[in-house]
Amino acid sequence: MRQYSDLKPGMPIGVFDSGIGGLTVAREIMRQMPNEKIVYFGDTARVPYGSKSKETVTRYSRQIVRFLLDQKVKAVAIACNTASAYALPEIEKECPVPVIGVIRPGARTACSCTRNGRIGVIGTRATVSSGSYTDFIHEIMPEAEVFAQACPLFVPLVEEGLWEDPVTDEIARRYMASLLDHGIDTLIMGCTHYPLIRKTIGRAAGEKISLINPAYETAMELRHMLEELKLLSDQRPFLGSTTPQYRFYVSDMAEQFQQFANSIIKYGILASEKIDIYHYSGEPLSAGRKV
Ligand code: DGL
């Protein structure tokens, strides 16, 4: 296993997403690892990633990882499915700290959950067209049949707050129809926003289908990874510290982000700060920090 001698358990975990959706992953990390500090970055100026090219998403992801490395993180969690699908292989190669994406953990759980080997995946257009979930599933379970469906309307519906709404129910039914025709018994919610409309997706899919939330699985896998590397924090951060346990940064609209974040995370987001992410341009990534 690769050694990371300059990293310490007390350093924060860096988490990033194209915007607010990755807070579902941050929330799971907070629940499962209450001793950890988190630096979260949401690329609110450039969201959505789901309709952008691999090249663009990889470039954006590199800039963000460089910012997180500047914050002295001990690991990076790519909370965004689209960025995990497109940029994880490059970032993993270049990054001087351990990196985890959301796709592998989601795929692994789906394989252990399915009984008939027919797995559905829903996500952004980019995630679906990357074939990333399908590839990981086939690595683990070559005989599995994977049926993927892009659901581009879900992200705006969630961001508009229509979590429990007849419109969202109707859209979900339409998206689900073809997947149900394929007889899937397991469905991966392959986008950060979808766990927030889990009930709606569950109603459209029917109770016989197991829903997989990669956010939950990613936090579990991150915990194991930190444990193995002896990087898991075993101490609650000092309450009187001037640096908050959770820090949030965005590339635009800090106030709007904060409002939404407070509706997802119940730990109270004290502040979010806007930064100039273009300041972190440049290639390759490993030039940003020496191991
Ligand atoms: N965070 C993205 C994902 O999980 C959804 C929003 C977007 O398209 O940027 O794929």
Side-chain angles (χ1 to χ4, degrees), residues 5 22 24 106 108 121 128 141 144 149 169 175 192 225 231 259:
S5 52
T24 55
R108 196 171 291 147
V121 178
V128 166
M141 200 178 180
Q149 170 73 51
D169 271 308
Y175 282 148
T192 46
M225 184 172 92
L231 286 174
Q259 268 172 22

Side-chain angles (χ1 to χ4, degrees), residues 17-19 21-22 47-51 79-83 124 127 155 190-193:
D17 178 47
S18 54
V47 67
Y49 282 10
S51 51
C80 178
N81 286 257
T82 304
T124 63
T127 299
V155 167
C191 174
T192 46
H193 290 57

